[in-house]
Amino acid sequence: MLKISRDYVNRETLEDFPVASRFIKLPIEGYLKLLPTKDPDTGLACSVFDTINRPQIALINAINDPRHRFVCAALARRLGKTYIANVIGQLVTLVPGANVLIISPNYNLSSISFELQR
């Protein structure tokens, strides 16, 4: 069961907040549709947009929501936190003058993000 402390955070669909006030300035839905992956059930090629889960959608919407300055997401293991955080980081760094710092508790976990960024 997914429990979100703010009732208004949508976990079903990506919300389209005004560009001037949202955190991720580029259209994340279009970007996710461009990223290739394999469907975990069938093994067939598809886009990342087709495979994102409800916690990832809620995390994207919470980060993009102009009502939030900071977001704390305590999500269970194997839900794609690192992956979606790296996608958000990629989109943020495409905006001129933006910087992203990747922090991990050890080198092995850092290598996950470095591979995704590569």
Side-chain angles (χ1 to χ4, degrees):
M1 183 178 98
L2 177 62
K3 182 175 181 175
I4 301 174
S5 63
R6 304 293 184 263
D7 298 356
Y8 55 82
V9 175
N10 186 343
R11 60 179 161 237
E12 302 298 330
T13 59
L14 292 174
E15 290 190 39
D16 192 22
F17 295 102
V19 176
S21 60
R22 69 184 185 209
F23 178 73
I24 307 167
K25 301 299 182 194
L26 300 173
I28 193 163
E29 186 172 335
Y31 188 70
L32 291 171
K33 288 180 180 178
L34 292 175
L35 294 175
T37 192
K38 289 187 177 182
D39 187 297
D41 298 326
T42 64
L44 299 174
C46 63
S47 73
V48 169
F49 181 76
D50 298 326
T51 62
I52 60 173
N53 56 39
R54 291 173 49 190
Q56 289 173 322
I57 292 170
L59 184 59
I60 293 168
N61 286 334
I63 288 173
N64 253 349
D65 195 326
R67 292 175 278 194
H68 304 149
R69 183 166 180 203
F70 300 103
V71 173
C72 178
L75 300 175
R77 299 179 68 197
R78 311 296 304 157
L79 287 178
K81 297 178 299 287
T82 301
Y83 185 81
I84 208 66
N86 276 279
V87 169
I88 291 168
Q90 289 169 358
L91 283 169
V92 169
T93 58
L94 290 173
V95 175
N99 294 304
V100 171
L101 175 64
I102 298 173
I103 299 174
S104 298
N106 60 44
Y107 180 77
N108 287 337
L109 294 174
S110 294
S111 64
I112 296 168
S113 292
F114 293 145
E115 289 299 317
L116 288 170
Q117 293 303 323
R118 188 179 320 173

